[in-house]
């Protein structure tokens, strides 16, 4: 990276005109953005400047935002052919190979351009240098173009703006001579670990790593190698249930350790960052400490949890549960889809499957300061508000149910509407109520509730038969147990009332009750201070998804840091993505927290 042409200190001293001129070209033909951001000086850091520029766009009118979008050339369109791009755009499109399209690729891009312009009325915007800044392939660009062509207009306008901010971020990095080295390292680890995937998925380019499969064992071995050879941990091992455990000792042998980590198993056809980011970030931090010959007073224990997703066996949080003493002996007798008992799978992977060995994994909370976890948000909030990091206030508690409404199957043509015992209609009414009732908590001080009917099934249903049975599931979540219980009580009561009014019967069984895990105030404050030190505002939000931290919460203080995911925060999906800059911010925040101890 060449020497920086500019520093934040220099930028802070400039008047509005000089400031705007210094940032010329960062946003395409739109100097008003820099002029608006000038009022937010002085900037503590480059990330603070990036945030101010993004907020200037966010606070602008829709017409002004559309003007910014339209200031950009069509991707590989006439402007590119005619050589009319700005120097910045020419460089970016060249890095993605767009100046070397085949005739077929160019024709496809031209058609996509035309279809997109006809649908939205503005040019398609994509940060073609991608999450790592090195450039997307032409096929990746074409696939993204085709996918986004189907999005709603308001959402696509926001997605264009998010890509414009990413383009600006990369240009600012170039101007200030900044390279997110640890961020690139993390994305590289994510790519390399994703090489290990199960047969039937790997051939399709899909990532699937379930408990104790060969891909799972290969992923564990790869983590061990990196932790030992690349990062400099003092002790690295794989424990009795497959957790990868690494320790970096502190200077005070009597001081308690800080526990951190996340899971390395995945859902089927999942993403590369869910769980694994929470392993890679501490790895990168320890790597930097080791390279600098530096140790902290408190040691760091990092655990790559072997199982969190419950995909191969219905034993969710098996890895972290072993550390809290919650390994259920009955799990060993569970069988997977191929009829293989967990006990046999453990032995085949080189583990004893001995309950006495597993019991030894239980941690003594007195030997730990607490547990912290870094995780991709798995939701749209941070991405929507242009915030790279968020501090988690609580992990939602949940209640899950399976249910069935039993009515009377009858002829669709001969049964009058006022004589029907339609089981599906009763459940449909419940679905709408769940949506309505959960929305009542949208502005709750602790955070919103959510409710989902994820499965609807009419056994033996037919197009010309009034449904006599309808099976369904319920998933209710809230950041406080009392809030969850209130939601659940109202939903249960409404189901009873619906069925009584319609003259149908029902069954409802609660299959899971998971307690909410509010963040420990002291550790949450440490995350807030770590984010603030970066020059970013502190955004607080609850976690709607479950995490290993909610298991550790049962025995020690815990708190989490979220990083935004691209593509509207989608997770458990191949589209799951983060940028190298955001990964770098995770490392920097984690380092700030460690040094704050």
């Amino acid at each position: 990276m060449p020497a920086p042409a500019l520093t934040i200190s220099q930028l802070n001293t400039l008047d509005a005109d000089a400031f705007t001129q210094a940032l010329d070209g960062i946003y395409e033909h739109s100097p008003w953005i820099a002029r608006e951001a000038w009022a937010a000086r002085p900037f503590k850091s480059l990330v603070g400047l990036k945030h101010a520029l993004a907020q200037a766009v966010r606070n602008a009118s829709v017409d002004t935002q559309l003007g910014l979008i339209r200031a950009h050339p069509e991707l590989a369109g006439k402007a590119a052919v005619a050589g009319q791009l700005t120097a910045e755009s020419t460089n970016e499109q060249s890095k993605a190979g767009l100046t070397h399209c085949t005739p077929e690729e160019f024709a496809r891009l031209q058609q996509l351009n035309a279809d997109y312009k006809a649908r939205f009325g503005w040019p398609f915007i994509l940060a073609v240098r991608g999450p790592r800044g090195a450039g997307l392939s032409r096929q990746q660009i074409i696939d993204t173009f085709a996918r986004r062509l189907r999005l709603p207009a308001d959402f696509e306008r926001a997605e264009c703006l998010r890509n414009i901010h990413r383009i600006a971020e990369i240009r600012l990095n170039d101007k200030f001579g900044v390279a997110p080295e640890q961020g690139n390292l993390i994305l590289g680890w994510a790519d390399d670990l994703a090489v290990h995937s199960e047969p039937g998925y790997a051939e399709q380019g899909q990532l699937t790593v379930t408990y104790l499969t060969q891909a799972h064992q290969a992923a564990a071995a790869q983590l061990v190698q990196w932790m030992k050879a690349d990062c400099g941990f003092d002790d690295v091992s794989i424990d009795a249930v497959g957790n990868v455990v690494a320790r970096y000792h502190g200077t005070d042998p009597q001081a308690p350790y800080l526990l951190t980590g996340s899971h390395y198993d995945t859902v089927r056809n999942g993403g590369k960052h869910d769980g694994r980011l929470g392993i890679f970030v501490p790895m990168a931090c320890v790597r930097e400490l080791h390279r600098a010959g530096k140790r902290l007073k408190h040691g760091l224990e990092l655990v790559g949890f072997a199982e969190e997703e419950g995909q191969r066996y219905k034993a969710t949080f098996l890895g972290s549960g072993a550390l809290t003493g919650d390994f259920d002996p009955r799990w060993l007798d569970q069988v997977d889809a191929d009829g293989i008992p967990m006990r046999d799978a453990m032995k085949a992977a080189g583990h004893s499957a001995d309950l006495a060995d597993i019991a030894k994994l239980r941690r003594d909370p007195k030997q730990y300061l607490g547990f912290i976890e870094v995780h991709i948000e798995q939701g749209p909030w941070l991405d929507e508000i242009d915030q790279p990091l968020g501090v988690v206030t609580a992990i939602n508690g949940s209640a899950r149910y399976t249910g069935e409404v039993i009515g009377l199957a009858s002829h669709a043509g001969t049964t009058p509407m006022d004589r029907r015992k339609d089981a599906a209609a009763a459940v449909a009414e419940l679905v709408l109520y769940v949506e309505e009732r959960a929305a009542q908590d949208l502005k709750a001080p602790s955070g919103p509730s959510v409710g989902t009917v994820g499965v609807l099934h009419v056994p033996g249903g037919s197009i010309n038969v009034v449904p006599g049975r309808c099976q369904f599931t319920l998933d209710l979540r809230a950041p406080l147990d009392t809030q969850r219980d209130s939601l659940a009580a109202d939903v249960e009561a409404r189901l009873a009332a619906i069925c009584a009014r319609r003259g149908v019967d029902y069954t409802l069984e609660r299959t899971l009750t998971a307690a909410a895990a509010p963040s420990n105030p002291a550790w949450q404050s440490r995350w807030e201070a770590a984010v603030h030190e970066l020059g970013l505002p502190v955004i607080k939000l609850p976690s709607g998804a479950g995490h290993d931290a909610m298991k550790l919460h049962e025995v020690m203080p815990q708190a989490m840091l979220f990083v935004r995911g691209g593509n509207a925060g989608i997770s458990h999906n191949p589209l799951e993505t983060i940028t190298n800059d955001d990964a770098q911010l995770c490392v920097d925040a984690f380092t700030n927290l460690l040094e704050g101890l």
Side-chain angles (χ1 to χ4, degrees), residues 249-262:
H249 300 319
T251 58
D252 182 355
Q254 305 303 316
Y257 275 67
L258 176 61
L259 187 61
T260 188
S262 195

Side-chain angles (χ1 to χ4, degrees), residues 344-525:
D344 292 352
M346 293 181 75
K347 290 179 179 178
H351 306 306
S352 69
D354 188 317
L355 288 172
D357 292 335
I358 296 172
K360 293 175 184 176
L361 303 183
R362 185 173 185 173
R363 300 300 196 264
D364 179 1
K366 295 178 182 178
Q367 296 180 5
Y368 295 91
L369 294 169
F371 178 81
I372 58 173
E373 183 172 0
V374 178
H375 208 283
I376 192 169
E377 182 197 353
Q378 298 183 285
W381 179 241
L382 293 175
D383 197 43
E384 282 184 2
I385 62 174
D386 301 313
Q387 296 286 349
L389 301 178
V391 178
V392 178
T393 56
I395 304 171
N396 282 3
S398 62
R400 291 182 181 176
Y401 301 80
T402 59
E404 181 174 17
V405 171
I406 304 97
L408 180 65
S410 57
H411 197 291
T414 63
T415 308
M417 298 304 293
D418 61 348
R419 313 284 177 85
R420 297 184 176 210
K421 307 294 183 184
D422 190 328
V427 177
E429 192 174 339
L430 178 69
V431 172
L432 294 177
Y433 177 73
V434 169
E435 185 178 65
E436 173 192 331
R437 173 59 183 82
Q440 292 176 15
D441 294 339
L442 199 59
K443 303 295 184 181
S446 56
S449 301
V450 292
T452 305
V453 178
V455 174
L456 284 169
H457 176 58
V458 177
S462 177
I463 192 170
N464 61 347
V465 176
V466 176
R469 295 168 59 202
C470 186
Q471 298 163 343
F472 63 94
T473 61
L474 271 173
D475 184 313
L476 308 175
R477 307 190 190 202
L480 295 176
D481 288 344
T482 52
Q483 186 173 325
R484 175 207 59 202
D485 292 343
S486 177
L487 171 63
D490 288 350
V491 169
E492 291 176 19
R494 180 57 65 96
L495 175 61
I498 291 170
C499 291
R501 173 165 43 79
R502 289 179 170 270
V504 296
D505 295 322
Y506 74 93
T507 62
L508 187 67
E509 178 187 1
R510 184 179 288 205
T511 58
L512 171 74
T513 302
S519 296
N520 175 267
W523 283 101
Q524 180 180 322
S525 294

Side-chain angles (χ1 to χ4, degrees), residues 558-586:
Q558 66 79 26
M560 294 185 69
L561 179 73
F562 272 171
V563 64
R564 67 180 160 193
N567 295 324
I570 194 170
S571 185
H572 285 182
N573 187 293
L575 292 175
E576 178 181 277
T577 184
I578 62 172
T579 67
N580 54 357
D581 283 271
D582 285 0
Q584 181 69 51
L585 289 176
C586 291

Side-chain angles (χ1 to χ4, degrees), residues 124-127 130-131 136 140-141 143-145 147-149 151 155-156 158-160 162-163 166 271-273 376-384 386 563-579 582:
F124 174 70
I125 311 295
L126 177 65
L136 300 173
Q140 287 174 316
I141 292 169
D143 290 346
T144 303
F145 209 152
R147 175 176 58 83
R148 284 176 45 189
L149 185 58
L151 296 176
F155 185 93
E156 177 57 18
E159 191 69 2
C160 285
R162 286 189 282 268
N163 276 272
R166 175 58 179 162
K272 294 184 290 189
H273 306 291
I376 192 169
E377 182 197 353
Q378 298 183 285
W381 179 241
L382 293 175
D383 197 43
E384 282 184 2
D386 301 313
V563 64
R564 67 180 160 193
N567 295 324
I570 194 170
S571 185
H572 285 182
N573 187 293
L575 292 175
E576 178 181 277
T577 184
I578 62 172
T579 67
D582 285 0

Side-chain angles (χ1 to χ4, degrees), residues 120-144:
F120 296 114
W122 59 73
F124 174 70
I125 311 295
L126 177 65
V128 293
R129 284 176 62 178
R132 297 183 68 171
L136 300 173
S137 70
R138 293 192 293 275
Q139 191 58 53
Q140 287 174 316
I141 292 169
I142 290 170
D143 290 346
T144 303

Side-chain angles (χ1 to χ4, degrees), residues 21-256:
Q21 181 59 40
L23 298 180
D24 181 53
I26 299 299
Y27 283 88
E28 202 94 355
H29 305 300
S30 301
W32 63 269
I33 299 171
R35 188 169 291 276
E36 287 291 325
W38 176 81
R41 293 171 310 127
F43 301 108
K44 188 173 185 176
S45 62
L46 179 58
V47 68
L49 170 62
K50 293 174 181 177
H51 176 263
L53 292 166
Q55 291 307 302
V57 175
R58 182 173 179 79
N59 294 332
S61 68
V62 170
D63 285 345
T64 302
Q65 292 173 349
L66 288 173
L68 169 62
I69 294 172
R70 291 184 176 118
H72 288 71
E74 289 185 348
L75 194 66
K78 292 181 180 179
V81 174
Q84 297 172 2
L85 298 178
T86 63
E88 291 84 3
S89 286
T90 299
N91 177 52
E92 285 149 7
Q93 295 205 14
S94 178
K95 281 183 180 291
L98 286 179
T99 55
H100 301 89
C101 290
T102 66
E104 293 78 14
E105 288 169 337
F106 189 76
R108 174 66 168 147
L109 283 168
Q110 292 290 79
Q111 184 60 56
L112 287 167
N113 265 326
D115 293 344
Y116 188 95
K117 193 71 176 287
R119 174 169 167 75
F120 296 114
W122 59 73
F124 174 70
I125 311 295
L126 177 65
V128 293
R129 284 176 62 178
R132 297 183 68 171
L136 300 173
S137 70
R138 293 192 293 275
Q139 191 58 53
Q140 287 174 316
I141 292 169
I142 290 170
D143 290 346
T144 303
F145 209 152
R147 175 176 58 83
R148 284 176 45 189
L149 185 58
R150 301 190 296 268
L151 296 176
D154 286 350
F155 185 93
E156 177 57 18
R157 173 171 54 84
E159 191 69 2
C160 285
L161 294 175
R162 286 189 282 268
N163 276 272
I164 287 171
H165 293 319
R166 175 58 179 162
I167 293 167
E169 178 167 65
I170 293 172
R171 292 176 179 177
L172 284 167
N173 288 349
D174 291 344
K175 180 177 283 290
F176 282 83
V178 170
E181 294 179 3
Q182 287 77 42
N184 285 330
L185 179 68
I186 285 172
L187 265 59
W189 280 335
D191 288 342
D192 291 344
L193 198 63
V195 168
H196 305 295
S197 185
E198 294 174 21
Y201 296 94
E203 295 82 356
Q204 302 178 58
Q206 298 176 355
L207 177 60
T208 299
V209 178
T210 62
Y211 187 51
L212 297 182
T213 58
Q214 289 186 356
H216 186 271
Q217 294 173 62
Q222 180 66 81
L223 289 172
V224 168
Q225 179 186 333
W226 285 333
M227 290 171 176
K228 284 182 176 178
D230 296 355
C231 300
F233 281 92
D234 298 299
D235 305 310
V236 184
S237 62
I238 298 177
D239 70 17
V241 298
N243 294 326
V244 179
V245 183
R247 279 194 153 203
Y248 190 70
H249 300 319
T251 58
D252 182 355
Q254 305 303 316

